[in-house]
Amino acid sequence: MAIRLGELLRKQNLLTQEQLEEALQTQVLFGGKLGTILIEMKLISEEALTEILAKQLGVPCVKPGMLQNIPNDVIRILSSELAEKHKVIPVSLDGRKLTLAMADPHDLKSIDEISFRTSYIIKPVLALEVRLIYALEKYYGIKAKTRHLPPPQQMGWQEFEEVSVFHGNEATLDVAEPQRLTQPVEDDLEELQEEDIVELDDAEVSLETTAQAFVSSRDRNDIADAMIAYLGARYRRAALFMVVADQISGWRSVRDGMPIADFEQFHLSLTEPSVLQEAVDSNRPFLGPVPRSDANQSLLACLGQPVPEAVMLIPMSIQGRVVGLVYLDDAGIDLSQAVDDVQQLTRKALMAFEMLILRNKILRA
């Protein structure tokens, strides 16, 4: 049986067992390939990972700069539909041989379909997922839907510097002094009971039925969907943010019962002062107006109208590390009265995430 990447890196003393466990936990929480996560967490360099994967898979890898200026006639060989379906980028053409950058050069099904559709002989080469994501956006305008990485400039990839990141339209807000909630998220967790789940209307979504949905969750997105369904049934605007690799990214959102357009394209560095950054760094709930700053204006523009007078932020942390944020605003209620409700939801969601992590450990044991 082929050795797993994580075990290979550990055996070569490129990762400690503790670092590997943290990376695998992050993978459960945020999805994506393990190699992508290791790069994001700065546990391994892109060059080292590419070299190891190339040796492990026995195929050549994309060299620096190969994805920088691919000719338009080569890019046009693949439709955006085909490139998105297989997560591949055509790199060069030599007669009837098409060099194709792939995250899995051993994916014979994809190779056969692309060869049939293009009438070219495919020469697969290895490219890291992080490179392919930005190449797909640069050449085909395909944005990552379920995984959000730091902008290329932050990872030192100058060849992708023209890829844009969502900033939204301008928004204004009166400056006011924020309040800090003194009660942290409690550690005592309520037990979840496994029961059959049925489809429910918004009016029937309760904390109990949401807990049932958590128990039946197959992955992180099921948990997020259950959370946002509960929040959307009670509050005018709510959102979930992921926190990974010094980056805050939009995950799920709801405003007046509908998802917020382009919310998943929102990214904010933890180096930029903002209410989001403050909640992450302090690992404590926040309730109050949003101070004026460029980062906060970007957040408000993403959330859209109406501009909130006050917001609530509840950090979600596992083993002392903030992995997400719950956002809430609603002009029609006193947000301080919603703190207990949202914290109960968050505690149950964190238990569900821990169940996924444990399930993953069992499968790997």
Side-chain angles (χ1 to χ4, degrees), residues 207-222:
L207 197 58
E208 290 71 27
T209 59
T210 302
Q212 294 169 18
F214 286 158
V215 170
S216 300
S217 295
R218 297 161 298 176
D219 57 34
R220 67 194 186 94
N221 288 320
D222 286 347

Side-chain angles (χ1 to χ4, degrees), residues 130-332:
V130 287
R131 290 272 178 177
L132 288 172
I133 286 174
Y134 285 104
L136 284 167
E137 182 169 349
K138 175 177 182 178
Y139 294 112
Y140 293 101
I142 299 168
K143 295 183 180 294
K145 295 179 180 178
T146 59
R147 181 104 180 113
H148 302 284
L149 308 176
Q153 299 91 330
Q154 294 185 20
M155 301 189 77
W157 302 346
Q158 297 306 316
E159 64 262 41
F160 293 123
E161 62 185 1
E162 62 191 67
V163 178
S164 62
V165 177
F166 177 84
H167 290 295
N169 299 320
E170 292 298 324
T172 59
L173 181 73
D174 292 334
V175 178
E177 188 67 24
Q179 285 182 294
R180 172 64 54 195
L181 294 178
T182 56
Q183 85 180 94
V185 177
E186 300 172 7
D187 292 330
D188 53 311
L189 303 176
E190 302 175 17
E191 293 185 359
L192 301 174
Q193 300 297 322
E194 184 169 8
E195 299 176 14
D196 293 333
I197 311 300
V198 296
E199 291 293 328
L200 298 171
D201 296 329
D202 283 350
E204 297 175 290
V205 174
S206 66
L207 197 58
E208 290 71 27
T209 59
T210 302
Q212 294 169 18
F214 286 158
V215 170
S216 300
S217 295
R218 297 161 298 176
D219 57 34
R220 67 194 186 94
N221 288 320
D222 286 347
I223 298 173
D225 289 341
M227 291 183 72
I228 212 68
Y230 177 86
L231 294 169
R234 282 159 178 75
Y235 308 107
R236 180 169 186 184
R237 182 163 47 194
L240 301 177
F241 295 90
M242 294 185 291
V243 182
V244 61
D246 299 325
Q247 186 88 0
I248 304 171
S249 300
W251 188 5
R252 291 289 189 274
S253 65
V254 62
R255 182 180 61 214
D256 296 326
M258 297 294 293
I260 298 172
D262 293 324
F263 180 76
E264 293 185 3
Q265 300 304 320
F266 175 82
H267 304 286
L268 189 65
S269 171
L270 278 173
T271 62
E272 298 182 65
S274 69
V275 288
L276 301 179
Q277 171 263 331
E278 186 178 350
V280 171
D281 285 353
S282 67
N283 194 9
R284 297 182 68 85
F286 172 94
L287 175 59
V290 180
R292 188 185 299 276
S293 74
D294 289 344
N296 285 336
Q297 293 295 96
S298 179
L299 168 65
L300 295 173
C302 174
L303 293 170
Q305 297 296 325
V307 175
E309 295 181 2
V311 305
M312 178 196 297
L313 291 167
I314 304 291
M316 301 177 63
S317 62
I318 294 179
Q319 298 178 1
R321 181 166 67 100
V322 177
V323 297
L325 289 171
V326 180
Y327 169 96
L328 183 67
D329 77 67
D330 192 327

